[in-house]
Amino acid sequence: MPPKKNVSTPSSTSAAPSAAVATPISTPQTSHNVPSSNPISILEGIFKNYSQSTPQRTKLIDAFLGFLVITGVLQFVYCVVAGNYPFNAFLAGFSATVGQFVLTASLRIQSNPANKSEFASVSPERAFADFVFCSIILHLFCTNFIN
Amino acid sequence: MSSLEVLLKDESTRNIRRLLKVVILITIAGAAVSSRLFSVILDPWFNFRASKYLVKNGFYNFWDWFDDRTWHPLGRVTGGTLYPGLMVTSGAIYHILRMLSMPVDIRNICVLLAPAFSGLTALATYLFTKEMKDESAGLLAAAFIGIAPGYISRSVAGSYDNEAIAIFLLMFTFYLWIKALKDGSAFWGALCALFYFYMVAAWGGYVFITNMIPLHAFVLVLMGRYSPRLYVAYTSWFALGTLGSMQIPFVGFLPIRSSEHMAALGVFGLLQIVGFVEFVRDQVPSRQFKTLLKALIFIVFALSSAVLVLLTVSGVIAPWSGRFYSLWDTGYAKIHIPIIASVSEHQPTAWPAFFFDLEMLIWLFPAGIYMCFSTLQDQHVFVIIYGIMASYFAGVMVRLMLTLTPVVCVSAAIALSNILDVYLSIKTPAAPTAGAPSVNERKEKKPRVNILSAGKDSIVGVYSKASKIAVIAAFSIYLFVFVLHCTWVTSNAYSSPSVVLASRMPDGSQHIIDDYREAYYWLRKNTPDDAKIMSWWDYGYQIGGMADRTTLVDNNTWNNTHIATVGKAMSAREEVAYPILRQHDVDYVLVIFGGLLGYSGDDINKFLWMIRIAEGVWPDEVKERDFFTPHGEYRVDDGATDTMKNSLMYKMSYYNYQSLFPAGQAQDRVRNAKLPAVGPTLSILDEAFTSENWIVRIYKVKDLDNLGRDHLSAAAFDAGKKKSKRTKANKGSQRKLRVV
Amino acid sequence: MRLQLQSDMASRTAFLLFFVNLFVSWVSATPLTGGRVLAVIEEQYDSTKYSQFLMDLKGRGYDVKLEPAKKDTLSLFEHGEKVWDHVILFPPKFKGYGPALTPQKLLEFTKLGGNVLILTSPSSIPEQVRELARELDIGLPPKDYITVDHFNYDTVSKSEKHDVILANRPAVSPAVHNYFSGKQDDLIAFRGAGHTLGNGPLLVPLLTAPRTAYTYDSKEDFAYAQDPWAAGTQMQLVSAMQARNNARITLVGSVDMFSNEFFDMKVQKPGSTKPQKTANKEFCRDVAAWTFGEKGIVKVNSIKHYLSNEPNAPVNPNMYRIKNDVTFEIELSEYDIDRWVPFKVPSGDSLQLEFTMLDPYYRVPLLPSSTSSNATTFTTSFKIPDQHGVFAFRVNYKRPYITYIDEKYSVTVRHFAHDEYTRSWDISGAWVWIAGIAVTIIGWIGFCALWLWSAPAAAKVGVKKTQ
C-alpha cells in the first residue's frame, strides 16, 4: 500500500502534481502553450490548459478522486497514529476508498477521449455502467467485511 | 443480385455454423460427462459429510460448524477451515432443484457434480482458446480437455473434491481476465474478480491465479506493453478480487499478510505508478522526463521490494508457507514437512506420467507455445507464462498435473488447429482436398493467412493433394489413438475407487475385495456411538463418513503435532503408547495390513512416514534410524530391529498372523519376507476385529488394570505365569522402600 | 445414583439388593455392598476361636457361611456372577486352598466387585496368598518369619520372644478420611508377621508396625536378629488395596488379632503400670466394616452444569462456547454403616474440578454450597477458556480409604459463531473506518448523481469529439 499511496496523492489533482514533479526539470523543457521558463507561469499554463481542454465530466472525476485521496490519507494517518485494532474494519474502510479510487481512475481513463482507440468496445456510457456495477460490488464487499 | 445472394448465403452459413458450434459443444460436454461415469464411489467422504450438514442445517450453521467428531479432542472449526465453494455449490443446486420440484438426494448431486463441471470446463476452455486463436481451436481445446486423462483423474463421477469445480473456475477466471484485458473493461474485470472470489471459495489452488495474473501484468509492463486497458482490467480485478477473497473465513487476512499474495499487491502498486507516469507523460511529453520517470519507477519498485523483504523478515507479513517452499525445492518438504511429502500426490512427477495423462498433447504443447510466440499478443503472453509455470509445477508435484492439463489442451489445440488450417485449406491453388472431417470436429475452415505459411513458397507439399491427405490422415489417426487411449486410461486407471479393491482371479473374473467397508460397517454396528478411533490420517475421512465414529486425525492435515502424536503412538513401545492412547480417550485402534493379500498400500509401508513425522516433533523419543537395520534396510522379518519389533504398529500388524500359517512359515506377501516364527504379543490392546482378507485390523484399548499393575505383568499373570519369586532376593537393603 | 463400581452388573445387583432391603427389612439392614459372606475356615472347631468376630459380623446383618478350604463344591461364581459379596480367608491348616480360591479366581472376584479379607499367620501362608500378594505388590515374609518388638511387647502374656506386640491406633493426617483411629491410647495386640508395601497408589496401610518392631526368621537359633527382614514403620501389620473398581482386599498379618483370645486379652506395655484391655475387637470390626464397604463409600448423586448468567439455560448441554460462564455442581453422599450422610471434605484437603482437554486448563476448588440430610452439593463457577475443543468436566478425587471419584463429563466448546463477535460499531476504534466507508459511498452516490446531471454538457463534448 505505501508506495501506491505516495503516488496516488499527486495523480489525483492532476494539475498540481505534474507541476510538483515537473518543477525541478522544467527549465530545459518547453511546455505546451507557455514558452516561459518561470515555474509559476508553467504552473499557470498547465492549469489553464487543464481547465480549458478538460471536459466537465473529467473535472468532476478529478474532484471525486481528490476527495477520495483526502479520505484515504485521513484513514491511513489515523491508522498509523491510533493503530489498526479492528483490523477488518481498517481494511474494509481503507480498501473501500482505495478501490473506489482505482475504479474511478479506470472510469477516467476509459472516458478519456484520447484513449478511444484503446477501448473500442467500451463506450463512455458503458464505462459508466461498468463503474457503477463495480462500485456496488465493492461497497457490498466492504460493508459485509466491516460487519 | 449476386451480392445479395452471397450475403444470404453468408448469413445462412453463419447460422449453420453457429448451430453446429453449439451442437458440437454440447456433444463435447456430453462426452466429457459420460466418459466419467465408469464407476461411482463417493470419494472424499468429508466433503460429502459437509454437504449433508450444509443441506440439513443451513448455510449459517454450516458456516459456524464446529466439528467435534474429528481431531478429537481438539475438534475442528470446520466452517472456518475449509473452502466452502464445493459444498455451497452442491447445496445451491440441491435447493434450486427442489424449488423446481425435483427432489434429488444430495448424494446424487455430489456424485454427479464433478462430471457436470467437467462439461462446463470444456465450455470455459473453448471460450479461453477462442480468445487465443479462433473458434476451431476453441472446439479442439474443448474436446481435448473433455477427455484428457490428466483432468479425468480428478473429476470422475463420485470424485467429490474441490478440484472438481476448481478447474472450471480456473479456466473461466482466466478467460474473463483475457476478456477484460482485451476490452479494457471494468465489467469483465469485475466478473473476473467475482469468479476469482468463487475460486478462492472453492480451492486452495487459487493462489495460482493470484500469482498468474500479476505475473502476466508484470511481464506485459516489462515488455513495454503497458496500456490503459491493462490498468483498468488489473485494478478492477485486484480491488474487487482481493476484497472478495478476504470474505472467505479460511483466507481471512492472508491476502495482505502472506508472501504468496504479495506479488499481486506489488503489481497493483506498480501499475499505479506506471499509470500515473503514463498520465503525466501525456500531459508533459519530454524524452528526458520519460527516462527520469522510468528510473523513478524502478527505484520505487526496488524500494517496495526491499520494504517487503523487511516486513517479511520482521514478521509483519507471513513468510512463504512450507507448501510453497516445497514447490521450489523438492527436497524441502521431505526434510521439514514430512507430512506433505508423505502424500503420494505431492511427490515429483515421474516422466511417463506426462505421457500417460496427456498422450499426444504433450508433444503438441511446445508447438502451440511456439505458435503463441509467433503471434505475440497480450493474451498469448499469458498462455506462454501459464504453460511455463504449470509445466514446472507439474514436474514438481503429481497433483499439479491438474493445472497443467488445461494449458496443454489449449496450446495443443492451437497447434493442431494451425496445422489443420493449413492442410485443410481449400484456398490453396491446388484442387480442394477431400479431407473429411476426422474423429474430432472442426467446422471452421477459415481461410486465413497462417503464420506457418507465411513463407508459403518454401513450404513444400501444401500445394499437393497427396501430402495434404497424408498429413490429415496421420493426424486423424493420432486423434483416434488419443481417444482410445483416453478411454482406456479412464476406465482402467482412474475409475477404481480407493475403498474397494478389485483383483483378477486366475480365471480372469474380477474379485472384489471389500475389507474396508466391511470394517467400517463393523465399527458402525459394534462400537459405542462416541467411540474414538485412532488410525493413520489417511483413513480419517472414511472412518468419519462411513463408520460415523470420532477420529483423532484425518485427511485435513491441519495440525501436524496431533498427527505426530498418532505417529508416535504407532511407533512407540506399548508402555509408551498406552498413556498417549489414554490421554486421547482412544477406544479403538485401526490399522491397515496388506501382508496377507499383497496389498502394498498398507500401514507398514506408510510406517516410515509416521516415524518421520513423529520424529519432527519428538526428535529425542522417536528416531528413524532405530527402525533400520545396521545395513540400512527396512525389514520386518527376523532381521528387523528391536525398535521395529516392539513398535505398536508392527505388533498390531502381525499380531496372531503366524497362526494362519504352519509353524515358521508365516509370510508377508507385500514385503516378501518370512516372518519370525514367534509372533508379537500385545498387552495393552485386545484384538477386536480383523476383516476377511486381514486388510483392516481393529484393536480395542484395554482399560487400566484394576490392581494398578502394568499391562504386561497383568497379562502374564492372567496367562498363569508365575512371577519369579523375589521374596528371597528382596532381603534387606535391596528392597525398595515405600514412600510414606 | 452413581456408585463407583465399575462392573455394571455387580453394582446394579448391589443396588437392587440395597433398595429391596431398604424397604423390606429396614431394621436389620443388609450392608450396602451385600451381605453374603464366605468365611473360608478349616474346621468347625476353629470357628469357635473367632466366634466373637463372626458373631459380630452376623449381628451387623451379614449372612456368614463357613466353608472348609478344600471343599469340592466351593465356588465363588455361578454363571459368571459372583455368589458371594465378601470372602474372609482364614489361614488353612494344610498347604493351601482348593482350586476355587486360586489368585486368578480371587482377582476375578474383586473385578466383579467382591471384597476379600485375608488373614495370615506366620506358620501358614499358602502359595495362593503369596502369589496374590505379589500381584498386589505386597511383600510377604518367608515362612516362619515373625515380627517382634522389644519395646512394645505385651508383658502380661510373658512371652520370652516379645512376639505379642502392642500397636497404637494409626495416626492419620487430617487431610484424609480416617476410619481406624479410635481412641489414642488404644492398644492393639498383634502376633504374627508384618509385611511391606510397594509404592502403588492403590495400597494403603491400615495398621503400621511400631518404630522398633522388626521381622526375623524364628527358626534361627539366635537370641537376636542378625539380619531383620523388615523393620520399623516400613513394615505394615494390616494393609489394604482398594482396586480401581473400589473392591477392597485387606491383608492382615496376624490371624490371632481376630481371635476371641486377643479380643478379651488384657495387655500391659513395658513400663506401664496397669494392664488394659485390648482394642482388638473395635479395631477388627473397623477393619471388616471398611473392607466390606460399610464405611468410606462415597457416591455421586448428580452432576449438573449450566450457563451461570442465564436463568433459563438448559442443564447439562452438550455444547458451550468459549468464554461462557458456567457453573458446575456435584452432589456427594457418604455411606456410614447403615445410611447415607452428607459427604465432608477433610479440613486439609479440597475437592477440585478440572476442566481438561488433554491437560487441565483449569483446576478450581469445589466448595460446599448446600447440604441436605444425606448429601452435600459442591459448586463452582468459572469462565471457559479461550480455546475450542472437546473438553471434559472432571472431578478426580482419589484419596486413601474412600472410594475413588473419577467423574468425566465431555462437553464440546465451540468457537464464536460468525455473528457472535463484537460488531465493528461496538468498537469505538472502528468508527473512523466506518465513517470512511460511509463517506466513500455517499461521495460515490453524489458523484454519480452529479455525473448524470452533468450529462448534457458531457454529451455535447462527446459530440464535439466525434466530429
Side-chain angles (χ1 to χ4, degrees):
Chain A
M1 287 291 167
K4 197 220 79 65
K5 196 77 256 146
N6 297 339
V7 177
S8 59
T9 319
S11 87
S12 53
T13 44
S14 48
S18 47
V21 184
T23 319
I25 36 157
S26 58
T27 12
Q29 94 182 47
T30 46
S31 223
H32 276 301
N33 306 344
V34 193
S36 163
S37 56
N38 182 4
I40 296 168
S41 59
I42 292 176
L43 210 76
E44 275 174 0
I46 289 175
F47 184 71
K48 211 168 150 195
N49 185 22
Y50 173 80
S51 50
Q52 278 174 0
S53 67
T54 314
Q56 190 196 339
R57 274 187 161 174
T58 312
K59 279 181 192 159
L60 186 60
I61 292 177
D62 287 340
F64 188 46
L65 285 175
F67 165 74
L68 286 173
V69 167
I70 293 165
T71 321
V73 167
L74 281 180
Q75 289 186 52
F76 193 75
V77 166
Y78 179 79
C79 165
V80 169
V81 173
N84 57 5
Y85 158 52
F87 194 51
N88 62 330
F90 161 68
L91 271 185
F94 189 62
S95 51
T97 313
V98 172
Q100 192 63 62
F101 176 82
V102 293
L103 289 177
T104 319
S106 299
L107 177 65
R108 191 186 193 285
I109 292 173
Q110 284 174 325
S111 60
N112 188 352
N115 289 334
K116 199 84 190 159
S117 58
E118 286 277 359
F119 299 98
S121 65
V122 185
S123 64
E125 290 75 26
R126 166 79 192 278
F128 183 68
D130 287 0
F131 169 71
V132 172
F133 175 70
C134 293
S135 302
I136 288 174
I137 295 177
L138 179 79
H139 298 157
L140 277 179
F141 274 151
C142 285
T143 41
N144 181 41
F145 197 57
I146 203 166
N147 183 350
Chain B
M1 189 64 194
S2 66
S3 65
L4 192 74
E5 235 180 69
V6 167
L7 201 76
L8 268 176
K9 202 177 154 197
D10 262 354
E11 190 60 35
S12 64
T13 46
R14 197 175 301 150
N15 279 339
I16 290 173
R17 274 178 192 168
R18 198 168 292 156
L19 184 68
L20 272 174
K21 223 161 59 188
V22 171
V23 169
I24 290 165
L25 270 177
I26 290 174
T27 324
I28 290 174
V33 172
S34 57
S35 68
R36 285 163 167 79
L37 301 178
F38 280 104
S39 81
V40 174
I41 287 265
L42 216 54
D43 196 18
W45 268 83
F46 168 74
N47 290 336
F48 174 53
R49 201 173 136 237
S51 303
K52 274 202 295 196
Y53 188 91
L54 170 67
V55 168
K56 204 173 134 205
N57 298 308
F59 178 69
Y60 283 108
N61 280 325
F62 176 68
W63 190 2
D64 298 334
W65 186 18
F66 181 78
D67 190 355
D68 54 5
R69 290 184 74 80
T70 55
W71 293 92
H72 183 86
L74 308 174
R76 177 181 170 199
V77 185
T78 314
T81 57
L82 52 52
Y83 293 101
L86 184 71
M87 298 91 193
V88 173
T89 305
S90 44
I93 294 174
Y94 174 78
H95 286 297
I96 290 171
L97 286 180
R98 280 180 74 100
M99 255 194 312
L100 299 174
S101 64
M102 289 195 340
V104 180
D105 188 8
I106 183 75
R107 173 188 294 258
N108 299 334
I109 295 172
C110 293
V111 165
L112 292 178
L113 194 74
F117 266 84
S118 68
L120 290 176
T121 309
L123 185 68
T125 313
Y126 162 75
L127 292 171
F128 181 78
T129 319
K130 200 179 88 178
E131 294 299 319
M132 291 301 148
K133 187 168 172 288
D134 53 15
E135 287 164 340
S136 62
L139 287 175
L140 269 179
F144 287 156
I145 193 80
I147 54 172
Y151 176 44
I152 285 189
S153 65
R154 288 318 202 96
S155 60
V156 287
S159 149
Y160 185 55
D161 212 343
N162 290 337
E163 286 93 332
I165 62 171
I167 293 302
F168 160 67
L169 294 172
L170 182 80
M171 285 319 280
F172 205 69
T173 312
F174 284 157
Y175 161 68
L176 291 170
W177 161 245
I178 294 297
K179 189 84 182 156
L181 180 64
K182 264 185 157 179
D183 288 359
S185 154
F187 171 70
W188 289 108
L191 275 188
C192 180
L194 284 181
F195 270 85
Y196 173 70
F197 165 66
Y198 190 4
M199 175 77 180
V200 175
W203 193 35
Y206 76 90
V207 180
F208 186 60
I209 303 184
T210 318
N211 286 299
M212 267 308 295
I213 293 180
L215 187 61
H216 184 209
F218 184 62
V219 168
L220 286 181
V221 171
L222 280 192
M223 289 168 78
R225 289 187 175 218
Y226 170 81
S227 67
R229 288 180 286 116
L230 180 63
Y231 180 87
V232 172
Y234 188 81
T235 51
S236 55
W237 167 74
F238 180 78
L240 296 180
T242 306
L243 259 179
S245 64
M246 287 195 285
Q247 315 286 317
I248 307 294
F250 191 26
V251 177
F253 298 139
L254 278 184
I256 50 145
R257 280 273 168 87
S258 82
S259 299
E260 286 98 322
H261 298 79
M262 279 302 127
L265 190 60
V267 170
F268 179 70
L270 180 72
L271 277 182
Q272 300 303 323
I273 301 168
V274 175
F276 168 64
V277 168
E278 293 287 324
F279 173 75
V280 172
R281 186 162 66 182
D282 282 353
Q283 302 287 317
V284 195
S286 155
R287 278 225 151 263
Q288 263 181 316
F289 188 50
K290 260 190 265 174
T291 42
L292 252 169
L293 277 179
K294 261 185 192 158
L296 180 79
I297 291 175
F298 284 104
I299 289 168
V300 169
F301 184 67
L303 268 180
S304 55
S305 324
V307 168
L308 178 67
V309 169
L310 202 74
L311 283 178
T312 312
V313 170
S314 65
V316 178
I317 297 171
W320 305 89
S321 69
R323 278 176 209 247
F324 217 79
Y325 275 124
S326 62
L327 283 181
W328 305 112
D329 176 7
T330 45
Y332 179 88
K334 202 167 177 175
I335 303 161
H336 297 279
I337 20 176
I339 188 136
I340 291 179
S342 72
V343 184
S344 62
E345 49 182 41
H346 289 164
Q347 302 293 334
T349 317
W351 64 264
F354 284 100
F355 289 92
F356 189 71
D357 279 357
L358 299 166
E359 222 241 348
M360 73 164 205
L361 303 181
I362 199 67
W363 52 261
L364 281 174
F365 170 51
I369 294 289
Y370 170 74
M371 303 280 176
C372 288
F373 265 115
S374 43
T375 45
L376 198 59
Q377 284 168 345
D378 291 352
Q379 62 268 35
H380 297 117
V381 176
F382 185 80
V383 173
I384 294 165
I385 299 171
Y386 182 8
I388 293 168
M389 299 305 285
S391 30
Y392 174 74
F393 290 142
V396 172
M397 256 189 211
V398 179
R399 189 182 180 191
L400 293 179
M401 184 69 100
L402 193 61
T403 51
L404 175 67
T405 308
V407 73
V408 167
C409 291
V410 167
S411 62
I414 292 173
L416 189 60
S417 126
N418 264 318
I419 293 168
L420 294 176
D421 279 347
V422 173
Y423 286 91
L424 277 181
S425 174
I426 323 170
K427 214 188 170 187
T428 45
T433 47
S438 55
V439 189
N440 269 296
E441 41 289 286
R442 317 128 267 110
K443 287 286 116 39
E444 295 291 305
K445 299 165 197 167
K446 272 191 188 161
R448 49 137 61 187
V449 182
N450 198 273
I451 340 103
L452 263 193
S453 48
K456 239 175 191 165
D457 306 75
S458 60
I459 296 175
V460 192
V462 178
Y463 295 96
S464 113
K465 206 198 281 180
S467 62
K468 277 185 186 174
I469 292 173
V471 170
I472 296 303
F475 270 92
S476 305
I477 291 169
Y478 286 143
L479 288 171
F480 192 66
V481 170
F482 176 64
V483 172
L484 282 183
H485 173 82
C486 291
T487 324
W488 178 80
V489 167
T490 311
S491 62
N492 282 286
Y494 289 136
S495 292
S496 51
S498 52
V499 276
V500 181
L501 308 171
S503 73
R504 299 259 172 217
M505 300 298 274
D507 59 353
S509 65
Q510 205 176 36
H511 177 62
I512 298 291
I513 294 162
D514 209 2
D515 281 36
Y516 281 100
R517 289 198 294 178
E518 180 193 350
Y520 295 146
Y521 191 73
W522 183 88
L523 275 179
R524 186 184 268 273
K525 291 293 168 195
N526 293 286
T527 58
D529 190 47
D530 60 349
K532 282 92 190 166
I533 319 285
M534 182 175 97
S535 72
W536 192 232
W537 60 262
D538 295 25
Y539 321 108
Y541 278 170
Q542 290 174 1
I543 296 172
M546 295 202 210
D548 191 26
R549 290 293 174 271
T550 309
T551 54
L552 259 67
V553 292
D554 64 27
N555 309 43
N556 171 274
T557 50
W558 67 272
N559 188 326
N560 186 46
T561 314
H562 214 54
I563 291 180
T565 307
V566 174
K568 184 184 170 190
M570 294 285 197
S571 55
R573 301 168 62 87
E574 279 186 85
E575 59 269 26
V576 179
Y578 189 69
I580 301 175
L581 301 183
R582 292 288 300 181
Q583 193 187 22
H584 290 80
D585 307 326
V586 176
D587 297 306
Y588 292 90
V589 187
L590 181 147
V591 289
I592 304 298
F593 173 65
L596 182 65
L597 211 64
Y599 170 56
S600 62
D602 70 352
D603 276 347
I604 290 277
N605 278 358
K606 292 175 184 168
F607 192 31
L608 280 178
W609 288 113
M610 305 183 201
I611 296 163
R612 274 175 207 150
I613 292 169
E615 189 179 7
V617 179
W618 291 280
D620 297 335
E621 294 172 66
V622 184
K623 290 192 180 67
E624 189 184 351
R625 190 68 198 82
D626 295 344
F627 291 85
F628 288 104
T629 60
H631 302 292
E633 294 162 297
Y634 178 66
R635 293 172 71 163
V636 295
D637 54 7
D638 271 325
T641 60
D642 282 345
T643 319
M644 179 76 187
K645 281 184 181 166
N646 287 322
S647 67
L648 196 61
M649 172 57 73
Y650 183 90
K651 288 187 167 186
M652 286 192 293
S653 291
Y654 295 111
Y655 184 68
N656 272 346
Y657 184 57
Q658 276 77 359
S659 67
L660 281 181
F661 298 86
Q665 299 292 309
Q667 184 83 21
D668 183 324
R669 291 186 181 130
V670 176
R671 288 154 284 269
N672 283 324
K674 194 163 156 255
L675 296 173
V678 181
T681 54
L682 275 172
S683 58
I684 63 166
L685 302 171
D686 284 323
E687 185 175 356
F689 173 82
T690 295
S691 65
E692 187 189 349
N693 298 296
W694 287 59
I695 287 184
V696 186
R697 309 197 67 187
I698 300 171
Y699 292 87
K700 184 165 178 22
V701 179
K702 280 188 193 166
D703 215 340
L704 279 174
D705 182 61
N706 199 22
L707 300 179
R709 299 167 293 181
D710 60 282
H711 286 93
L712 197 63
S713 47
F717 175 76
D718 288 341
K721 280 182 209 149
K722 283 187 183 173
K723 265 191 189 170
S724 60
K725 292 190 183 177
R726 44 183 190 191
T727 26
K728 287 260 157 60
N730 263 355
K731 264 190 166 184
S733 58
Q734 285 161 328
R735 191 172 40 232
K736 262 207 243 157
L737 293 183
R738 180 176 164 91
V739 181
V740 182
Chain C
M1 294 296 266
R2 292 174 57 90
L3 193 81
Q4 285 305 287
L5 293 178
Q6 295 214 324
S7 87
D8 269 9
M9 287 308 288
S11 66
R12 224 168 284 155
T13 27
F15 268 123
L16 214 66
L17 269 171
F18 168 64
F19 277 116
V20 168
N21 286 323
L22 203 69
F23 291 116
V24 176
S25 55
W26 175 248
V27 185
S28 66
T30 323
L32 178 68
T33 49
R36 298 170 298 173
V37 179
L38 169 70
V40 179
I41 193 157
E42 210 49 60
E43 282 167 35
Q44 212 62 16
Y45 156 76
D46 266 0
S47 67
T48 53
K49 275 169 73 180
Y50 309 105
S51 59
Q52 283 193 19
F53 171 66
L54 295 172
M55 287 310 289
D56 184 51
L57 277 182
K58 280 179 188 160
R60 296 216 306 275
Y62 289 99
D63 175 19
V64 184
K65 191 131 191 249
L66 308 179
E67 296 279 6
K70 299 241 165 158
K71 191 179 168 192
D72 291 339
T73 54
L74 185 67
S75 173
L76 296 177
F77 313 100
E78 192 176 10
H79 310 307
E81 284 288 317
K82 59 185 170 56
V83 289
W84 309 100
D85 298 310
H86 317 284
V87 170
I88 307 174
L89 296 178
F90 285 90
K93 272 273 174 323
F94 305 104
K95 264 212 115 178
Y97 300 115
L101 297 170
T102 62
Q104 280 83 0
K105 292 259 169 65
L106 285 171
L107 287 191
E108 177 75 31
F109 180 67
T110 55
K111 213 175 254 179
L112 294 175
N115 302 312
V116 183
L117 176 62
I118 303 169
L119 309 174
T120 62
S121 80
S123 57
S124 154
I125 302 178
E127 191 50 38
Q128 283 105 324
V129 171
R130 288 187 181 280
E131 222 175 292
L132 185 65
R134 274 197 288 274
E135 291 306 314
L136 305 181
D137 209 8
I138 297 175
L140 288 178
K143 194 168 186 285
D144 292 330
Y145 276 48
I146 58 165
T147 300
V148 295
D149 188 334
H150 304 304
F151 297 89
N152 296 302
Y153 64 96
D154 175 27
T155 52
V156 178
S157 57
K158 297 254 175 7
S159 171
E160 293 298 307
K161 285 178 171 174
H162 300 168
D163 60 348
V164 176
I165 56 178
L166 300 176
N168 283 319
R169 289 266 197 172
V172 210
S173 117
V176 296
H177 282 84
N178 193 346
Y179 302 106
F180 304 101
S181 54
K183 283 196 243 69
Q184 256 319 299
D185 52 352
D186 277 354
L187 285 177
I188 298 152
F190 179 95
R191 183 170 63 200
H195 46 262
T196 58
L197 297 183
N199 274 315
L202 308 182
L203 286 170
V204 283
L206 303 191
L207 186 65
T208 305
R211 284 178 55 235
T212 45
Y214 64 93
T215 302
Y216 78 110
D217 187 353
S218 61
K219 287 275 151 55
E220 281 179 38
D221 281 337
F222 293 107
Y224 55 95
Q226 285 187 314
D227 185 13
W229 180 82
T233 49
Q234 277 292 313
M235 200 162 57
Q236 311 299 335
L237 306 179
V238 181
S239 48
M241 141 112 27
Q242 180 171 276
R244 287 191 199 279
N245 66 350
N246 297 312
R248 289 163 179 175
I249 304 173
T250 304
L251 187 92
V252 180
S254 154
V255 69
D256 293 336
M257 262 180 84
F258 284 73
S259 66
N260 297 348
E261 179 197 347
F262 274 50
F263 277 17
D264 300 333
M265 194 160 68
K266 292 217 164 174
V267 291
Q268 188 177 357
K269 264 190 172 184
S272 136
T273 47
K274 73 176 194 339
Q276 72 181 96
K277 197 171 176 292
T278 61
N280 276 31
K281 186 169 186 175
E282 292 75 27
F283 182 75
C284 290
R285 181 200 284 155
D286 286 346
V287 168
W290 180 82
T291 306
F292 296 165
E294 287 177 40
K295 286 175 176 177
I297 300 276
V298 179
K299 74 169 175 180
V300 179
N301 295 320
S302 71
I303 281 180
K304 272 195 266 181
H305 52 87
Y306 48 85
L307 289 172
S308 311
N309 303 330
E310 289 174 40
N312 299 324
V315 173
N316 297 355
N318 290 324
M319 193 177 272
Y320 287 105
R321 202 202 61 207
I322 56 171
K323 295 181 176 172
N324 270 156
D325 292 304
V326 291
T327 301
F328 181 86
E329 287 180 12
I330 185 167
E331 193 183 286
L332 296 175
S333 298
E334 185 188 354
Y335 194 70
D336 183 26
I337 301 181
D338 54 358
R339 67 205 154 89
W340 290 103
V341 296
F343 176 73
K344 284 196 190 69
V345 175
S347 56
D349 199 8
S350 92
L351 182 69
Q352 293 181 329
L353 170 72
E354 288 175 4
F355 196 60
T356 62
M357 182 179 73
L358 296 180
D359 301 307
Y361 277 66
Y362 282 143
R363 198 175 274 142
V364 283
L366 281 160
L367 300 174
S369 62
S370 67
T371 309
S372 71
S373 62
N374 52 13
T376 315
T377 307
F378 296 85
T379 313
T380 191
S381 296
F382 63 97
K383 189 187 270 293
I384 288 181
D386 188 4
Q387 165 72 46
H388 50 71
V390 180
F391 279 82
F393 290 108
R394 188 167 184 210
V395 178
N396 185 6
Y397 188 71
K398 290 182 180 136
R399 296 292 181 271
Y401 310 120
I402 62 163
T403 48
Y404 307 125
I405 300 171
D406 190 355
E407 291 291 323
K408 207 171 170 184
Y409 261 70
S410 287
V411 289
T412 302
V413 175
R414 65 173 172 85
H415 59 297
F416 279 118
H418 69 280
D419 51 358
E420 285 172 339
Y421 289 99
T422 343
R423 296 284 179 167
S424 288
W425 53 81
D426 291 333
I427 307 168
S428 57
W431 291 347
V432 173
W433 294 301
I434 294 179
I437 291 189
V439 164
T440 307
I441 293 177
I442 292 166
W444 175 75
I445 292 171
F447 168 73
C448 287
L450 276 176
W451 173 279
L452 293 173
W453 178 73
S454 72
K460 228 182 283 166
V461 175
V463 168
K464 206 160 59 189
K465 283 285 177 299
T466 41
Q467 286 165 355

